[in-house]
């Protein structure tokens, strides 16, 4: 969306934020930040490009028809979830968070028993509608099951040494002996997989899925130790290197899907794991637009050390680097040092001021700061 200039264009501004989780979608954030910038630079040409990084809301950035169906959440409770299906390209865009997201179980987290079965239901449904490729957006999950719930939904059953099916969730994975594929849904399992990550974490270890993200999903220290051991066992059974960057995303979902695809095709060529934000940016044409911009505004709920590790803000910063554009970051909280020369506007956090107003104020401050530095630089 472009806000046309009121007169001859002097300043070209691109507004490309992530969502401010729980308070504003990426679309809302972009609109409010753009309105704030417009209040200061009235003759600017402002392009809104709401972003996503593989987390919640990424699927919606792609074109296609919305499909909604019954499935289960991470706790196994009946729910409804939606995904995007593009019949022209035979591609389904699915957020893991749609069925298996953290908000649905925030009142009672399930770090040891939560599983991704509900996401597998969406995958199987997409294949039945003609999908040949699944673009799976991995952020925002409530689970640390290594994607084994998806395997179960597709007919592959993790078993222990006695031949009994494992209990759902990552807490049982240390007892994994092998995965039975006798009832495998081969058409769904043999799809092309594009796995979009919002982190570059490995599967196990101090920077892995359990240690870093388990506590966010309700795991205590003993739970983290149990989950890490379970994921290590899953990697051993599937032959996946637990140090592989990005394979810790969404509670290590890539582990199971990499194994599944490689097992069926005899090669890993049919499954790729890539950072989601650069792909979304490319789909929006930002790699071409940003070099022509004067100011690029991005943002997220909290700017921290993870922000530059495959997320939206880091991706936009990389695209701005080396161009003539100035970079502005709006954030509800700033917990890390931004790239040198970056303009920063922290939301007021005033409980009496709605988020839309805070975002407009942040957009206005960034625009005013841009005018100051551009004037100083001549």
């Amino acid at each position: 969306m472009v806000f046309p200039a009121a007169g001859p264009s002097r300043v070209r501004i691109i507004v490309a934020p992530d969502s401010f989780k729980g308070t504003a979608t990426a679309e809302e954030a972009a609109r409010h930040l753009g309105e704030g910038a417009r209040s200061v630079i009235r003759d600017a040409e402002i392009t809104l490009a709401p972003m996503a990084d593989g987390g919640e809301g990424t699927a919606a950035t792609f074109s296609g028809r919305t499909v909604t169906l019954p499935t289960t959440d991470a706790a196994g409770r009946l729910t409804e979830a939606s995904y995007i299906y593009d019949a022209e390209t035979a591609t389904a865009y699915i957020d893991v968070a749609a069925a298996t997201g953290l908000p649905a179980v925030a009142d009672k987290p399930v770090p040891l028993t939560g599983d991704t079965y509900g996401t597998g239901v969406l995958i199987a449904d997409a294949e039945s509608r003609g999908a040949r490729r699944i673009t799976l957006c991995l952020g925002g999950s409530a689970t640390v099951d290594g994607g084994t719930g998806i395997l179960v939904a597709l007919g592959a059953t993790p078993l222990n040494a006695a031949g009994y099916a494992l209990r759902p969730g990552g807490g049982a994975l240390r007892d994994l002996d092998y995965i039975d594929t006798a009832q495998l849904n081969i058409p769904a399992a043999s799809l092309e997989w594009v796995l979009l990550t919002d982190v570059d974490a490995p599967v196990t270890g101090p920077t892995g899925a359990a240690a870093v993200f388990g506590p966010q999903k309700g795991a205590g220290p003993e739970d983290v130790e149990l989950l890490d051991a379970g994921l290590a066992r899953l990697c051993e059974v599937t032959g996946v290197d637990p140090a592989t960057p990005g394979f810790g995303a969404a509670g290590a979902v890539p582990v199971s899907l990499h194994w599944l695809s490689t097992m069926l095709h005899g090669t890993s060529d049919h499954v790729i794991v890539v950072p989601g934000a650069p792909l979304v940016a490319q789909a929006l044409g930002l790699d071409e637009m940003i070099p022509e911009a004067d100011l690029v505004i991005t943002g997220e709920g909290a700017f921290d050390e993870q922000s530059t590790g495959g997320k939206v803000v880091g991706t936009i910063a990389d695209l701005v680097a080396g161009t003539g554009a100035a970079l502005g970051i709006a954030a509800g909280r700033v917990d890390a040092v931004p790239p040198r020369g970056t303009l920063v506007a922290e939301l007021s956090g005033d409980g009496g001021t709605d988020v839309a107003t805070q975002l407009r104020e942040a957009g206005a401050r960034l625009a005013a700061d841009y005018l100051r530095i551009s004037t100083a630089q001549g």
Side-chain angles (χ1 to χ4, degrees):
M1 181 187 300
V2 176
F3 290 167
S9 178
R10 297 180 186 176
V11 177
R12 289 162 293 185
I13 302 175
I14 296 173
V15 186
D18 197 356
S19 63
F20 284 61
K21 291 182 175 58
T23 58
T25 66
E27 291 80 5
E28 292 167 342
R31 184 172 70 253
H32 299 320
L33 289 167
E35 290 167 350
R38 164 74 73 224
S39 71
V40 173
I41 310 177
R42 296 186 179 278
D43 61 350
E45 179 182 299
I46 301 179
T47 300
L48 304 185
M51 277 283 293
D53 58 11
E56 305 96 315
T58 300
T61 64
F62 296 96
S63 61
R65 179 170 63 93
T66 300
V67 178
T68 303
L69 67 148
T71 184
T72 56
D73 66 14
R77 300 173 299 198
L78 186 64
T79 187
E80 278 192 348
S82 302
Y83 66 90
I84 303 297
Y85 179 55
D86 182 2
E88 185 175 342
T89 61
T91 300
Y93 300 93
I94 302 174
D95 288 341
V96 167
T100 316
L102 191 55
V105 295
D107 58 332
K108 190 176 180 180
V110 286
L112 297 181
T113 59
D115 76 347
T116 49
Y117 183 90
T119 296
V121 171
L122 303 184
I123 292 168
D125 181 81
E127 187 280 326
S128 74
R129 297 174 189 270
R132 296 191 300 273
R133 179 186 300 107
I134 302 292
T135 296
L136 193 61
C137 312
L138 298 182
S141 77
T143 59
V144 193
D145 75 338
T148 51
I150 294 174
L151 294 185
V152 173
L154 300 184
T157 307
L159 304 176
N160 62 21
Y164 292 104
L166 296 184
R167 299 183 308 277
L173 285 178
R174 64 178 179 177
D175 296 325
L176 177 65
D177 186 63
Y178 66 104
I179 302 172
D180 178 33
T181 59
Q183 302 298 319
L184 185 64
N185 178 347
I186 294 177
S190 59
L191 294 167
E192 300 285 327
W193 302 93
V194 179
L195 309 181
L196 303 186
T197 68
D198 63 345
V199 297
D200 55 7
V203 181
T204 61
T207 59
V212 175
F213 305 105
Q216 300 174 11
K217 303 174 185 185
E222 292 183 0
D223 298 333
V224 167
E225 185 176 344
L226 178 60
L227 291 167
D228 195 67
L231 292 177
R233 177 57 183 163
L234 177 63
C235 286
E236 183 179 359
V237 171
T238 58
V240 170
D241 181 356
T244 307
F247 272 46
V253 161
V255 174
S256 286
L257 296 182
H258 184 275
W259 167 81
L260 183 66
S261 185
T262 302
M263 182 266 297
L264 284 174
H265 295 286
T267 173
S268 61
D269 292 348
H270 298 271
V271 53
I272 61 171
V273 181
V274 295
L279 189 146
V280 174
Q282 183 179 30
L284 294 173
L286 290 177
D287 51 343
E288 297 178 356
M289 290 191 290
I290 283 177
E292 303 299 321
D294 298 298
L295 170 63
V296 180
I297 298 174
T298 186
E300 60 184 339
F303 179 82
D304 54 29
E305 296 295 340
Q306 296 180 18
S307 297
T308 55
K311 292 185 176 292
V312 165
V313 171
T315 297
I316 297 300
D318 289 343
L319 290 173
V320 170
T323 73
L327 174 66
I329 297 176
R333 193 176 71 247
V334 178
D335 297 331
V337 179
R340 185 175 181 181
T342 301
L343 308 175
V344 178
E346 191 169 8
L347 271 60
S348 66
D350 182 359
T353 305
D354 62 85
V355 172
T357 299
Q358 293 181 48
L359 287 166
R360 292 188 194 100
E361 292 172 347
R365 291 202 303 274
L366 291 171
D369 288 345
Y370 167 76
L371 288 180
R372 278 192 287 271
I373 65 167
S374 62
T375 300
Q377 293 171 355

